[in-house]
Every structure is written in C-alpha cells, then in structure tokens.
Amino acid sequence: MKLKQIVLALGLAALASAPALAANATATASKSAPSGFDRKAYSIAYKKFVLPNGLTLLVHEDHSVPVVGVNVWYHVGSRNEKRGKTGFAHLFEHFFFNGSENYPHGFREAMDDLGANNRNGTTNTDRTNFFEDVPTSALERTLFLESDRMGFLGNYISQAMLERERGVVQNEKRQGDNQPYGKVRYEFAAKMYPYSHPYSWTTIGSMDDLNAASLEDIREWYRTYYGPNNAVLSLAGDITPERALELVNKYFGALPPGPPLPRTETWIPVLDRDIRDEMEDQVPQVRVYRRWHAAAWKDADVARLQLLADVLAGSKSARLDKRLVYEKGIATGVSAGMQDSELGGTFGITVTLKNGADQLDAEREVDRIVGELLEKGPTGEELARVKTRELADFSRSLERLGGFGGRADVLAQSMTYGGSPDAYLTRLEQMASATPADVKAAGKRWLSGHHYTMTVKPYPKLAAVKSGFDRKQLPALGQAPDVSFPAMQRAQLKNGLKVVLLERHGAPIVNAALVLDAGAAADPAGKEGLASLSLGLIDKGTKARNAFQLSDALESLGADISTGTSQDQSVLRLKATSANLAPSLALMADAALNATFPQDQVELAKQRRLAQVGQEKAQPSALAVRVIPGILYGAGHAYGRPASGTEASTRTISRDDVARWHDAWFRPGSATLVVAGDTTLEKLMPALESSFGKWQAGSAPAKQVPSVPATAGKRIYLIDKPEAPQSTIVAAHVSLPSGQPDELAIQAVMHDFGGMATSRLNRNLRLDKHWSYGTTARMIDMRGQRSFLTIAPVQTDKTVEAMQEVSKEIRDIAGQRPIAGEEFDSVMRNVTSRLPGRFATLDALEGAAITSINLGLPDDYWNRYAGGMRSLSDKQLAGAGARYVHPDEVVWLVIGDLRKVEPGIRKLGWGEVTVLDADGKPVR
C-alpha cells in the first residue's frame, strides 16, 4: 500500500485474531468532524492488540520501503522518582544499551550489526522510549532483543556496568551544563514547582543522587517499571498485523507483568506571586525566559495555547518577532511554545536580547503584546495562517515511519498519554476547529489558578502465558534488502538553469533546492561571511513583497523557505505541499530573483550575525569548527575561514556588498534546481518556466581554491575556557580530495573509526572508559582537499589521558591495527544493512543529489553505491586508512580550563604549544 493511501485511509478492516488477545481498533472514521477539518486526511491506520500480560501492541502497515520503525514506550520517567534518588529513569535508559541475559553483547553492537537507522533512546519527565528503524529482514531479531531487555535485563546489570554508565551519564550532565544557558533548567524545576512535586527536579538528576545509586536500587527500579503492562510497542512499516502479532506473542507473551502502579493524572501548581530570579553564566547575550503553569497533555487548551504561541512567535509576522526583532531591533531571537507534559504543562516565552538592549524595555513590550492578545484575541487571518503551518508540519512528519514525530511515535505517544492510539486526531481537531474566541479564552484561563485531580482505576487481572521458545537461540538475520535510488531525471530551462527531479509519491509534499556554485569559498577577502549573510537575506523583501508579506504568503500555502551555506555551495530550499507547488515555486523564484535587500534588514541581519558569532564562540565544538580550518588551510584560504565570518568582517559588509554578491553568484548557468517528492517533470517544467524562466542567462565567476601542502604536525593549540567541566579535544590534518578510487573504502573506515555509536573512538572514550558522552570523527566533504577531523569532548581531569588514547586510535586506524576479522564483518554489515533507511526522506534524497552536483558524481552513483560497498575487502579498507590518515601530520586543538590542563599537555612533549584567543589568534 502506498504511503499516500495509508495517510488518507481511516483504518484497516477488523483483523481476526486469537480470542482475548486482540482489541479491534481502527481510526475513528465514524466520528463526525466539525466543519473545516477532515480527520481522514491526517489519520494513521493501525491495529491495536493487548496481550494477556498487559503489553499493548500497535501496528501500522506500509510496504513502500522494506523498513519497519520499532518504537517502545515505557510509561515511566523522572516523575516516578523520589527526591534523593533522582536521575534513575534516565540512568536506566543507558542500561538498556548494554545487552541482556540472553544477548550479553550490547544493544548498540546488535543494531550496528543489523543495519539499524534513526535509533536512540530518550527519557523525559513522563516516559522512556526506545526506537530504531530496521530492515524488514532484521525485524524478528530486533523484537527478540527488545523483548529480552524488557524481561531479562535486571539480573544482567552488574556493579561494573553501573559504574560505567553512571560515569557516562555524569559526562552527559557535564556536557549539558557546559552549553550556554545549560543550567537554566535546574532553576525552572526548583522554582516553579513545590518541593514535593515530581517535576521539581530535572530528568538528568543530581550528581549526588547518581553517585548514591546502588545496584539494588537500580534492579528494584527495573522490576517496578519495565514490565509489559507498563509499555506500548508500536510497529510501523513493512509488516502485516498478523505477522506482527505472531512475532510479538512469540517473544513478549511469556514476560511476566510488573506490579500495579499508582498514577497521578494531573498536578498543576498555583504560583501565589510573581517570582523574579537571576543567575550568571558564561553566555554571550542576555536571555529572558518567562513561564506560566498551563494545561496538562489531555486538555483541549493545549492545542489552543500552541496556536497562541504561534501567533506570538515563530515567524517574521508573529507579534513578538515583528516588534522586538524587526521593528525595535532589541532582540536577536524570540520563541514561544507550549510544553505539554502529562501532569501539567508550561507556556513559555524566551527573548534573547541584542547586546546593550534595555531588558526592562523588552519586558514591557512582551507584557503589552501578550496583554493585547489576551484582551482582543488573534485575528482570523493570523489564526488561519498558523493553523495551516501546524497542519503542514504534521503532514511532513507523516513521511517518517519511526523516530521522533514519525508514525510509530505518534501512535505510541497517543496511546501512552491519551489512552487511545488516535488521541492525536482529537488534538489536531481541537487545534483546527479553534476560533479566535477559543484561543483568547484559553490564554486568559491559564494566567489564573489551576486545579488538581487524582483518579484511581482498578488493576486488571494479568498473567503470563506459557511459551516453549528457547531464548538461548538468537534469531537469524535475513539477507539485507536491495536498495534503490530514484532516477535522477534531468531537464534544463532555456536560460541554462539545470533541473534534477527525484520522484517519490509517498506523501503529498515536495522539496526544492536551488543549488548555486558559490558557498563560503566565494567570500571575498575581508568580507568573510558575506555568502551566508547575503543568502539569509533572500527572503527579507522583494520588489513585490516585503519580508512580512512574503512570510505570510508562504505560510498561507503551507510552505517554508530556508537557506544553507557549505564551503562549496549556497542553497535556497523550499518545502511545499504538492497541491500548492506552483505558487510556492513562484514565491521561491520571487525571493531568489527579485530580492531588494532593504537597508534595515541588512543592518538587522548583521546584528543577528554578530550575536551568532558570539554564540559560536561560546559553544566549545562550534568554536573548534571555527578555528581549526584556519590552522589547516591558512586564514586567507577559501576553506580556511568560518562560514559565518567574524565580528570584524561582518561590520564591514554593506548593502552594496550583498547586492553585488547576489548579482555575481545568482546565475542560472551555474545553478541547479533539485526537486524531490510528489510531482513529475510533466507537471514541474511548466511551473518552473513560469517562475524561473525569466531569469537572465549567465554564469557565476570561477572560485579560487588552491591546493595546500601536507599539514605540518607536532603542533598543539590551546583555547582557554575557565571553569569548563569538559575539555574539547580536536585532532585534524588536511587529507585527499574527493573522487579517489578508494572513496567507498575510506567512508567505511571513517564509519568504523568515529561514525557510529560503537566506533573505535566512541567505544574507547565513552563505552570503555566513560570519560566522554560521545565522540565523532569524519572526513569533511568538500570539492577540494578535505580535512580529517576528530572531536572528543572529555571530562577535564582526563584531558591528557584522552589525548593519548585519541592519538593511539589514529595510529591504529592508519595502519597499526587495520580493520579485519569480525570487526570488518560487523562494520560492513552495518554500512550495507543500514542503506535501506538512508534515503527514507525527501531531505535525504535532496542531500544526496546536492552531493552529486558538488562532487560531479555520475547519475547512477547512488544506485551503484550499495553494490560497491558490498564488494569491499579488508585489504581495501586497510589501504584506504593508510592513504587518508597521517598520524605524523596531525595538529591538536584543545578548548578547556587551561589552568587545569595546560601543564599536563605541555609535559606530553608533542611539539610546539600555542595559546589562541577565540578568534584563533595567538596570545602566547
């Protein structure tokens, strides 16, 4: 069945199944929808089953790709913890990745081995979920593994595992605390909720509580909350309900239920006064947060309050954005939103102030605008626009089977929080049918008192069934399914604009990307950041529309325009619905070809860019990415400059610079329009001739990207970040350009070295030593000479030891310990088995086509990709590692508390040590 058919279906016919095992559940087609909202258009067909042990199974059938999204929701979060024993829910999420009694090899390793994509586990106040998209051939093994960690994990947890994962979680906490504004969450929890409320501590928990957790505490937590009767298993994709029920009964049916659990339904506190608080942190700008207690998840006011938030912030025409950012220019960013937690939500507004702006002035404007909205309500036009955007966003989420916001996730969340798999439809209906008066009333209601209700329901009689299944037998993996990539259909307009179409008709949406041969490499000397700044101004006004009118027109069509700048390319992206593709393309062309770059918008963009640069310098990994290119290529090289530029270069950019850049680089002869989604060339070309056909022919100038010599190693650069709880370690050197004969081999090598959860680097520093929350290593994709880059954030007191370990791993992958044996088999299974899910979204198809354009790949490259990967040998991987990775050329950059780490780094004796400032300039 095609995805479009599934989305429009109301539900499957009743499926005959074993007595007492299945509850017939189809989407609520029989309910009469109010005028103006069609429940059919947003329905996800499903079947619901409840096993005798209480496990709820939801199945959504879609055979468009040979992939199944597996999503398990446990109804347990930090709200179930006790003060003094916080962080347990999140800590236990980590245990789920360590293997289980009958598969003591690690869940990450199992998922890498079977080629899972889009996988993770997360915890919040109310639930813990685990998800992975797996090839159909690996579904049975995946269900075995999920069932084994549901029923056979407690006795497998050891003291050593507890110590390891405790260290990993504490590093995750340190990494969060090390971000700008990272400690605000603790103040929210402690100040907005009474001491006894389960939201009065954060999900990550406290260091003291994590240190105090005992092995018996952890095992008791597992026995209490992870039984099948407290879980929802949601499967979406290439599976029938009959087969799903058969497999789930086989692997989950014999698991015993957990104990009955008391469950508070709502608990919304009442603040008895306004509370004001201040804190200091290492951040580049003043940011003002404002929160109100609001409706709980099931309340109809949640949808109305989200509409209220959309009217306030989130687009150029939103009231707070327009006033604070565009008219008064006192803020560089504004957001508003409804946090819809289960016990009770919060409504929030966040304002990031321009440096030097008056905080009281900003707060007065917020009070005035919010007060006016609550007094008069939104206009009908405002409400219609934000509803269209919300519904379009939800439609786009239906493209995905699994992961956050995918179909499996939507059903599981609705079942867990709403008591029915189609509870999301009720929320969409509440949103779509809300009137200005409804939104106004909801806003007024939640600025006053709230109420608390407790409901206790009978505990059903549950029992496990007998099973003859032998859990010592690991289910075999099926053969990895074949991978197909849509044909790259090509056409060209008379003015020379090339067109590439990738058809996919699974959802009624279309992506379009205007790809220009420009990028950061097109920045003139002294005007670094001009390309990205100019591109970001494309939608800030045209000859026919100002910025707000263009934003309104796009939103009314359910469309969105965004931009992106890489080293080699500048990209203007459009997301549209297929029904509104032609007028959406016309708006895209208007922005691309008729941009006027108003002086006030240029000045505002420069102010926001200065704020962005400040944010990048405050965030350790972003700072590393800014500084390391200049070290490798030289500050004057096209690849050696940060794409966002510097404070100095930003201040020199004028409106004339922007207009000249646009005139030089927006030329059809050097551009390609990539279109992916629900359309055909027959429909597309007339729309393109109408929208882009008047673009005057011409080509952009050639860029100057000279070659650079091999990187001179034995150099260490340091940047001070006082009191940082982590050091960010970077190891890098210039490597070979793209297009080498062993290109596929080095991709597999880098995936094994630093590109997956069980990579060599991550296994060493996170899984074995728990010094880091996560590491990464990759070859940076560029048309010219690429750079080999490793980034490892580690706890401060292990900085020197971690550098030694990173150095060892680099030498190993370069030849001292080539990938061979079971490691080779495992990584090759991973890189080939994960391919079916790689191109599951339009964004992925678009990205692959843009890469092909940049690197000059043949049109059949992606269709031959899987076969080429499967044919690689361990000798080819060993040869590629030696050719691309050169340990003696590595330079090091460490960002951390130099008072604590610099003496040890100097004692390494690895070469000249230079201390830099945040601009990459030597200070000593």
Side-chain angles (χ1 to χ4, degrees):
M1 185 181 289
K2 298 295 185 183
L3 177 58
K4 185 176 181 180
Q5 294 172 313
I6 292 173
V7 170
L8 296 178
L10 287 178
L12 298 171
L15 173 68
S17 58
L21 288 185
N24 183 28
T26 59
T28 54
S30 60
K31 296 181 181 179
S32 59
S35 176
F37 180 72
D38 181 9
R39 292 173 71 98
K40 289 184 180 181
Y42 303 96
S43 293
I44 304 169
Y46 69 89
K47 285 292 295 182
K48 173 186 170 186
F49 307 90
V50 180
L51 274 61
N53 62 5
L55 177 68
T56 298
L57 167 65
L58 307 176
V59 186
H60 167 66
E61 186 177 0
D62 177 3
H63 300 289
S64 59
V65 292
V67 172
V68 179
V70 179
N71 206 315
V72 184
W73 276 52
Y74 293 92
H75 205 166
V76 56
S78 57
R79 62 174 280 190
N80 300 99
E81 297 161 355
K82 299 177 181 178
R83 185 170 290 280
K85 292 187 176 182
T86 64
F88 275 31
H90 176 250
L91 178 62
F92 208 89
E93 172 208 320
H94 284 249
F95 287 116
F96 265 64
F97 291 93
N98 283 272
S100 50
E101 257 183 78
N102 300 292
Y103 189 82
H105 309 297
F107 193 80
R108 296 181 187 87
E109 291 81 350
M111 291 296 102
D112 283 343
D113 208 33
L114 57 83
N117 285 284
N118 196 24
R119 57 191 174 90
N120 209 337
T122 71
T123 309
N124 66 17
T125 54
D126 303 308
R127 63 96 184 103
T128 303
N129 70 340
F130 301 93
F131 53 88
E132 55 272 341
D133 292 352
V134 300
T136 308
S137 52
L139 176 61
E140 183 168 1
R141 179 175 289 188
T142 302
L143 292 176
F144 163 81
L145 294 167
E146 285 285 7
S147 70
D148 209 66
R149 59 183 185 170
M150 179 183 286
F152 296 86
L153 180 58
N155 293 332
Y156 179 66
I157 298 171
S158 64
Q159 187 65 38
M161 188 188 302
L162 171 58
E163 296 303 328
R164 181 174 67 247
E165 293 306 326
R166 182 174 13 225
V168 170
V169 170
Q170 288 175 334
N171 271 304
E172 181 179 358
K173 178 177 169 64
R174 291 185 185 102
Q175 186 157 316
D177 294 352
N178 197 34
Q179 306 307 309
Y181 315 104
K183 297 177 182 177
V184 173
R185 52 184 171 167
Y186 305 116
E187 300 301 316
F188 281 162
K191 302 296 173 59
M192 286 197 68
Y193 295 93
Y195 189 80
S196 58
H197 197 288
Y199 290 172
S200 64
W201 54 82
T202 61
T203 301
I204 197 74
S206 75
M207 285 290 193
D208 288 343
D209 289 357
L210 290 170
N211 285 329
S214 70
L215 188 58
E216 182 51 38
D217 288 335
I218 295 300
R219 287 175 172 168
E220 178 61 27
W221 179 266
Y222 173 69
R223 289 191 293 265
T224 302
Y225 293 107
Y226 292 86
N229 51 308
N230 199 38
V232 174
L233 170 60
S234 182
L235 304 178
D238 189 22
I239 184 70
T240 64
E242 299 94 330
R243 178 60 174 161
L245 180 59
E246 176 188 350
L247 290 174
V248 172
N249 268 321
K250 177 179 180 181
Y251 293 114
F252 292 81
L255 303 181
L261 298 173
R263 195 173 302 284
T264 301
E265 185 170 307
T266 50
W267 185 356
I268 305 175
V270 177
L271 298 179
D272 59 1
R273 58 187 172 86
D274 285 342
I275 300 172
R276 293 194 70 90
D277 204 357
E278 287 187 4
M279 63 177 291
E280 294 182 347
D281 198 1
Q282 295 188 39
V283 297
Q285 294 168 263
V286 173
R287 180 174 288 177
V288 181
Y289 299 84
R290 186 163 290 180
R291 300 288 185 268
W292 292 265
H293 286 294
W297 196 93
K298 292 181 180 179
D299 197 316
D301 272 353
V302 168
R304 298 164 187 151
L305 289 172
Q306 185 55 52
L307 292 174
L308 184 78
D310 291 343
V311 170
L312 282 172
S315 69
K316 296 182 184 68
S317 294
R319 297 188 181 193
L320 289 174
D321 292 80
K322 187 173 183 179
R323 182 59 174 166
L324 298 180
V325 177
Y326 295 97
E327 292 178 355
K328 297 201 71 172
I330 59 177
T332 60
V334 182
S335 64
M338 176 65 197
Q339 176 65 46
D340 53 342
S341 300
E342 192 174 18
L343 295 181
T346 57
F347 183 92
I349 295 172
T350 304
V351 180
T352 303
L353 296 180
K354 172 187 170 184
N355 286 331
D358 185 341
Q359 178 180 342
L360 293 178
D361 185 23
E363 291 191 45
R364 281 191 293 268
E365 289 291 343
V366 171
D367 290 338
R368 183 185 63 78
I369 291 168
V370 171
E372 183 178 74
L373 182 59
L374 296 181
E375 182 63 29
K376 299 179 180 179
T379 67
E381 181 183 359
E382 282 179 314
L383 199 55
R385 187 170 67 244
V386 299
K387 285 182 182 179
T388 300
R389 186 177 76 200
E390 288 282 350
L391 291 173
D393 288 345
F394 185 81
S395 295
R396 292 189 182 101
S397 74
L398 295 181
E399 181 187 25
R400 301 189 301 277
L401 293 172
F404 280 123
R407 281 170 267 172
D409 189 56
V410 170
L411 293 174
Q413 182 191 55
S414 292
M415 187 67 230
T416 302
Y417 292 161
S420 170
D422 53 13
Y424 70 95
L425 281 174
T426 300
R427 177 174 290 190
L428 285 177
E429 188 172 337
Q430 291 163 347
M431 183 271 292
S433 61
T435 65
D438 293 334
V439 174
K440 170 186 171 182
K444 282 195 169 184
R445 194 153 40 241
W446 293 103
L447 293 179
S448 57
H450 307 290
H451 62 83
Y452 162 75
T453 301
M454 171 68 172
T455 302
V456 179
K457 297 181 179 180
Y459 176 61
K461 186 176 180 181
L462 304 173
V465 297
K466 293 182 179 180
S467 172
F469 168 62
D470 183 3
R471 287 193 170 271
K472 302 302 180 184
Q473 292 290 352
L474 185 66
L477 286 174
Q479 184 176 358
D482 290 332
V483 182
S484 61
F485 190 84
M488 293 181 66
Q489 304 175 60
R490 290 187 177 269
Q492 185 168 312
L493 301 188
K494 294 177 183 179
N495 57 16
L497 176 64
K498 297 175 282 294
V499 179
V500 173
L501 172 62
L502 303 168
E503 282 192 43
R504 177 172 287 172
H505 302 286
I509 53 176
V510 181
N511 281 11
L514 181 63
V515 185
L516 306 164
D517 189 11
D523 285 340
K527 301 287 183 181
E528 293 81 11
L530 176 60
S532 58
L533 185 74
S534 301
L535 195 65
L537 284 160
I538 284 294
D539 64 345
K540 301 304 186 292
T542 72
K543 296 175 183 177
R545 301 172 178 87
N546 63 31
F548 309 106
Q549 291 168 335
L550 181 59
S551 176
D552 290 351
L554 287 164
E555 198 168 6
S556 297
L557 295 172
D560 179 66
I561 283 179
S562 61
T563 61
T565 302
S566 67
Q567 288 294 339
D568 301 310
Q569 295 172 312
S570 299
V571 182
L572 174 63
R573 290 183 171 90
L574 169 73
K575 290 183 182 292
T577 61
S578 49
N580 293 332
L581 178 59
S584 299
L585 284 170
L587 292 176
M588 181 190 192
D590 187 33
L593 309 184
N594 302 315
T596 54
F597 309 114
Q599 183 65 43
D600 63 331
Q601 294 293 327
V602 173
E603 291 303 317
L604 179 60
K606 289 172 63 175
Q607 293 169 11
R608 300 181 76 178
R609 174 55 57 86
L610 291 171
Q612 175 189 340
V613 172
Q615 294 281 9
E616 290 176 358
K617 289 182 178 181
Q619 207 282 335
S621 294
L623 176 58
V625 172
R626 286 182 60 84
V627 171
I628 201 68
I631 294 173
L632 298 182
Y633 295 94
H637 193 276
Y639 287 169
R641 305 168 296 196
S644 55
T646 66
E647 287 97 338
S649 66
T650 299
R651 293 188 180 99
T652 68
I653 294 173
S654 67
R655 183 202 172 279
D656 289 343
D657 292 326
V658 171
R660 281 193 295 268
W661 185 92
H662 178 265
D663 182 61
W665 297 98
F666 267 70
R667 297 299 181 95
S670 305
T672 303
L673 190 69
V674 175
V675 181
D678 184 31
T679 189
T680 64
L681 272 181
E682 183 180 10
K683 295 178 181 178
L684 177 64
M685 292 309 292
L688 292 182
E689 286 290 355
S690 175
S691 54
F692 285 92
K694 296 180 181 179
W695 195 359
Q696 186 175 352
S699 296
K703 289 175 289 189
Q704 302 300 316
V705 186
S707 297
V708 297
T711 306
K714 299 186 183 304
R715 291 179 292 158
I716 300 176
Y717 297 91
L718 308 177
I719 297 178
D720 193 19
K721 193 174 191 296
E723 303 303 325
Q726 283 188 318
S727 295
T728 299
I729 299 170
V730 180
H733 69 75
V734 174
S735 189
L736 299 174
S738 301
Q740 304 296 316
D742 49 3
E743 182 69 32
L744 294 183
I746 193 58
Q747 290 182 29
V749 169
M750 293 306 298
H751 191 66
D752 186 69
F753 176 64
M756 58 181 176
T758 54
S759 67
R760 286 187 175 188
L761 200 61
N762 211 47
R763 176 169 293 284
N764 186 333
L765 295 182
R766 170 175 170 152
L767 302 181
D768 293 345
K769 297 184 175 63
H770 50 85
W771 294 345
S772 173
Y773 179 63
T775 62
T776 185
R778 61 189 184 275
M779 291 285 176
I780 304 298
D781 281 333
M782 292 184 288
R783 196 178 304 167
Q785 289 167 285
R786 292 175 291 183
S787 53
F788 165 80
L789 179 68
T790 296
I791 300 180
V794 301
Q795 63 193 68
T796 297
D797 62 346
K798 296 297 182 182
T799 301
V800 173
E801 294 91 333
M803 290 177 68
Q804 292 170 322
E805 291 299 321
V806 172
S807 178
K808 178 183 75 68
E809 293 293 351
I810 291 174
R811 292 190 179 278
D812 283 352
I813 204 67
Q816 289 189 5
R817 184 166 64 90
I819 301 169
E822 174 54 32
E823 183 184 17
F824 171 78
D825 294 338
S826 178
V827 71
M828 295 313 298
R829 276 195 299 271
N830 179 270
V831 297
T832 55
S833 296
R834 67 196 293 269
L835 290 174
R838 176 170 179 176
F839 301 119
T841 66
L842 297 187
D843 286 349
L845 293 181
E846 178 187 279
I850 291 173
T851 297
S852 294
I853 292 166
N854 190 42
L855 303 182
L857 303 176
D859 283 359
D860 63 348
Y861 175 84
W862 297 110
N863 269 320
R864 293 188 291 105
Y865 186 85
M869 276 291 185
R870 291 190 183 102
S871 68
L872 292 173
S873 67
D874 55 357
K875 291 183 179 178
Q876 287 174 295
L877 265 62
R883 265 183 26 94
Y884 285 81
V885 182
H886 307 141
D888 292 335
E889 296 175 9
V890 166
V891 295
W892 298 85
L893 171 65
V894 180
I895 302 172
D897 188 342
L898 297 192
R899 182 176 59 86
K900 297 177 181 178
V901 303
E902 184 176 354
I905 293 174
R906 289 184 178 275
K907 287 181 181 178
L908 287 172
W910 285 1
E912 179 183 359
V913 178
T914 304
V915 178
L916 307 175
D917 62 16
D919 292 314
K921 297 177 180 178
V923 295
R924 57 182 172 88

